[in-house]
């Protein structure tokens, strides 16, 4: 795929990762409307999304906003008004000459991160009906979605590129619930790994129409790096509130076991931070110790930890909770009474032997199941609740 070139200096000054041509075309093709009068691109970068949209709607008026003066089009582009400004400013309509709640279309590839948190961002969320609790920890995508919704007319359309955290992260569930309740999300497209150069963040195209709520099935798609589209999957709004990534629902095991497997596995998450253990002069088993199929972990400095520390027992299966390939870091513990860090799960069963639990988790099918339930963007992780749903019997048959 051809990469849209980016400035070599200061590319990450505003968290910028510029949009590839094929991604732009795919997002534009996902828009439902046939006639567009006014289209916005906030945080436009080099204007790749507008360039793709102009090919579909040549008579539309395009308005782009970007904080970086180096991204101003030169020479000016016909039927495009460009503004060098902070796209999240509270008086954006007056600054760009477009009334709030008037744009027909908004296309957006938000920066990955904001330079710093500002309280005014809470107002942006509240104005768009999105949750404000914990807003200081939100990614830039949440604020850009809110600002675009503010500028869109009723039933106007938003196509936005978002990281995996917003699509599947547990911390973003409140945002998903608000979007689903108020707007019609009709499609989520999972992009191939490496869709953006210089970053391994997993990305998705989120397509919605303002207002109406999500009452119809939501279409999930996935495109591979060679351009091949996987068989689409449809999910309900209730399912989408939990997570809406294709890989999760595409798994052939999804929905076949429901809660039946939950009692079969007991999952314990460690509660000791590595930094805290070091400060106490104590040792704690961490993900870096999970290098072999069996682990005989014996350290002498664990007594300094508080008695409340979660400890793994002999025979427990230890699994990394977080990491790019967390699902492959699995070991069977041969030691006993071992304190584990908050990045490690201890798994045991009263029904299956440790050998069976280990075999199921490390099987090809088990590994695919774990990977399909990964959440997060850069730092991928799995939750205790997801892990308790592991259908162990299916991978032992």
């Amino acid at each position: 795929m051809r990469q849209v070139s980016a400035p070599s200096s200061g590319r990450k000054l505003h968290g910028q990762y510029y949009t590839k041509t094929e991604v732009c075309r795919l997002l534009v093709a996902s828009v439902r409307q046939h006639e567009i009068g006014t289209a916005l691109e906030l945080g436009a970068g080099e204007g790749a999304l507008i360039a793709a949209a102009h090919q579909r709607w040549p008579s539309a008026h395009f308005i782009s906003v970007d904080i970086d003066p180096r991204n101003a089009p030169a020479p000016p582009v016909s039927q495009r008004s460009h503004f060098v400004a902070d796209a999240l400013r509270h008086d954006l309509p007056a600054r760009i000459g477009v009334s709030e709640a008037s744009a027909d279309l908004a296309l957006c590839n938000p920066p990955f991160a904001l330079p710093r948190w500002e309280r005014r961002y809470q107002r942006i969320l509240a104005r768009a009906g999105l949750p404000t609790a914990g807003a200081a920890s939100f990614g830039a995508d949440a604020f850009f979605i809110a600002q675009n919704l503010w500028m869109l007319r009723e039933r106007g359309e938003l196509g936005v590129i978002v990281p995996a955290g917003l699509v599947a992260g547990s911390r973003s569930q409140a945002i998903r619930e608000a979007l689903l309740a108020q707007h019609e999300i009709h499609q989520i497209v999972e992009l191939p790994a490496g869709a953006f150069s210089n970053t391994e963040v997993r990305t998705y195209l989120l397509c919605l129409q303002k207002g109406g709520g999500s009452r119809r099935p939501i279409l999930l798609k996935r495109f591979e790096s060679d351009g091949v589209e996987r068989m689409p999957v449809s999910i309900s709004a209730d399912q989408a509130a939990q997570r809406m990534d294709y890989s999760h629902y595409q798994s052939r095991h999804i929905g076949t076991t429901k809660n039946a497997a939950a009692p079969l596995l007991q999952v314990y998450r460690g509660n000791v931070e590595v930094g805290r253990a070091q400060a106490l002069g104590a040792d704690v088993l961490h993900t870096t110790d999970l290098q072999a199929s069996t682990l005989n972990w014996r350290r002498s400095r664990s007594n300094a930890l508080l008695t409340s520390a979660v400890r793994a027992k002999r025979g427990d299966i230890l699994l990394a909770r977080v990491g790019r390939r967390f699902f492959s870091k699995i070991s069977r513990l041969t030691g006993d009474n071992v304190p584990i860090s908050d990045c490690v799960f201890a798994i045991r069963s009263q029904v299956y032997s440790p050998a069976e639990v280990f075999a199921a988790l490390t099987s090809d099918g088990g590994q695919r199941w774990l990977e399909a339930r990964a959440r997060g963007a850069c730092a991928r992780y799995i939750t205790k609740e997801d892990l308790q749903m592991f259908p162990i019997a299916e991978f032992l048959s």
Side-chain angles (χ1 to χ4, degrees):
M1 294 194 294
R2 185 173 68 85
Q3 177 189 355
V4 178
S5 61
S8 58
S9 62
R11 181 187 56 78
K12 291 186 180 180
L13 178 64
H14 304 292
Q16 300 149 306
Y17 288 98
Y18 294 103
T19 315
K20 289 188 176 182
T21 303
E22 289 78 3
V23 174
C24 299
R25 293 172 179 167
L26 187 59
L27 183 56
V28 167
S30 301
V31 175
R32 288 173 163 181
Q33 300 176 83
H34 298 293
E35 300 294 333
I36 297 294
T38 301
L40 299 177
E41 186 179 2
L42 304 184
E46 297 178 319
L49 288 170
I50 278 184
H54 184 265
Q55 295 180 5
R56 181 173 175 184
W57 302 285
S59 61
H61 179 210
F62 296 97
I63 300 169
S64 56
V65 182
D66 196 88
I67 198 170
D68 193 339
R70 294 172 299 179
N71 287 326
V77 179
S78 175
Q79 293 178 284
R80 174 183 174 185
S81 301
H82 181 79
F83 298 87
V84 178
D86 180 358
L88 298 181
R89 56 188 297 159
H90 72 280
D91 60 346
L92 186 65
R95 179 69 177 83
I96 66 177
V98 177
S99 300
E100 61 185 83
S102 67
D104 301 302
L105 173 67
L107 300 171
C108 189
N109 178 21
F112 181 66
L114 296 172
R116 63 183 180 278
W117 163 253
E118 297 182 27
R119 288 190 177 275
R120 64 186 175 95
Y121 296 150
Q122 282 188 308
R123 179 184 175 189
I124 294 174
L125 295 171
R127 188 170 55 195
L130 298 185
T132 59
S137 65
F138 291 176
D141 44 286
F143 305 108
F144 274 80
I145 288 174
Q147 189 80 328
N148 277 292
L149 288 171
W150 181 50
M151 297 299 296
L152 280 174
R153 64 168 172 81
E154 191 72 8
R155 303 308 289 164
E157 203 157 351
L158 171 62
V160 58
I161 299 168
V162 297
L166 188 131
V167 169
S170 56
R171 293 183 180 179
S172 296
Q173 183 168 339
I175 297 176
R176 292 194 295 273
E177 290 173 346
L179 291 173
L180 290 161
Q182 300 173 58
H183 310 290
E184 184 184 358
I185 297 179
H186 58 84
Q187 185 171 252
I188 307 288
V189 181
E190 184 174 320
L191 299 175
F196 295 91
S197 298
N198 303 311
T199 176
E200 295 181 352
V201 174
R202 289 175 172 261
T203 49
Y204 300 76
L205 308 181
L206 186 154
C207 306
L208 64 79
Q209 281 191 276
K210 182 176 178 179
S214 300
R215 298 181 177 85
R216 299 177 181 176
I218 299 167
L219 189 65
L220 305 184
K221 295 182 178 181
R222 175 173 173 174
F223 283 86
E224 303 297 346
S225 57
D226 58 2
V228 174
E229 180 182 358
R230 292 281 192 92
M231 184 69 69
V233 174
S234 293
I235 62 172
S236 67
D238 287 343
Q239 290 175 305
Q242 298 299 314
R243 55 191 299 168
M244 43 192 181
D245 50 327
Y246 177 93
S247 292
H248 175 74
Y249 293 100
Q250 181 270 343
S251 171
R252 64 188 178 90
H253 302 289
I254 189 68
T256 60
T257 55
K258 206 91 178 191
N259 294 320
L264 300 180
L265 295 180
Q266 289 80 53
V267 181
Y268 303 89
R269 176 182 169 180
N271 61 351
V272 180
E273 295 181 359
V274 173
R276 174 170 168 264
Q278 292 174 341
L280 291 172
D283 293 316
V284 61
L285 189 149
H286 191 47
T287 55
T288 51
D289 297 304
L290 305 179
Q291 303 292 336
S293 58
T294 58
L295 177 62
N296 186 14
W297 196 90
R298 287 190 174 90
R299 303 285 174 87
S300 60
R301 299 190 306 160
S302 62
N303 292 332
L305 289 174
L306 299 176
T307 57
S308 60
V310 172
R311 295 173 180 267
K313 301 179 179 180
R314 180 177 289 107
D316 280 357
I317 307 304
L318 305 178
L319 169 69
R321 181 183 66 84
V322 64
R324 184 176 167 212
R325 290 185 55 81
F326 69 86
F327 50 87
S328 65
K329 288 197 167 188
I330 305 177
S331 297
R332 181 179 172 183
L333 183 65
T334 58
D336 198 15
N337 197 35
V338 175
I340 55 177
S341 82
D342 55 1
C343 293
V344 174
F345 285 124
I347 306 168
R348 62 188 73 131
S349 174
Q350 296 179 353
V351 178
Y352 295 95
S353 69
E356 289 175 317
V357 176
F358 181 83
L361 288 168
T362 56
S363 68
D364 289 343
Q367 288 285 282
R368 287 193 298 269
W369 190 97
L370 292 171
E371 185 176 15
R373 280 145 187 84
R375 302 173 186 253
C378 293
R380 304 175 70 196
Y381 66 95
I382 190 169
T383 65
K384 175 181 177 179
E385 291 73 22
D386 281 344
L387 195 53
Q388 287 175 321
M389 303 293 289
F390 183 74
I392 182 171
E394 296 188 24
F395 303 114
L396 294 176
S397 57

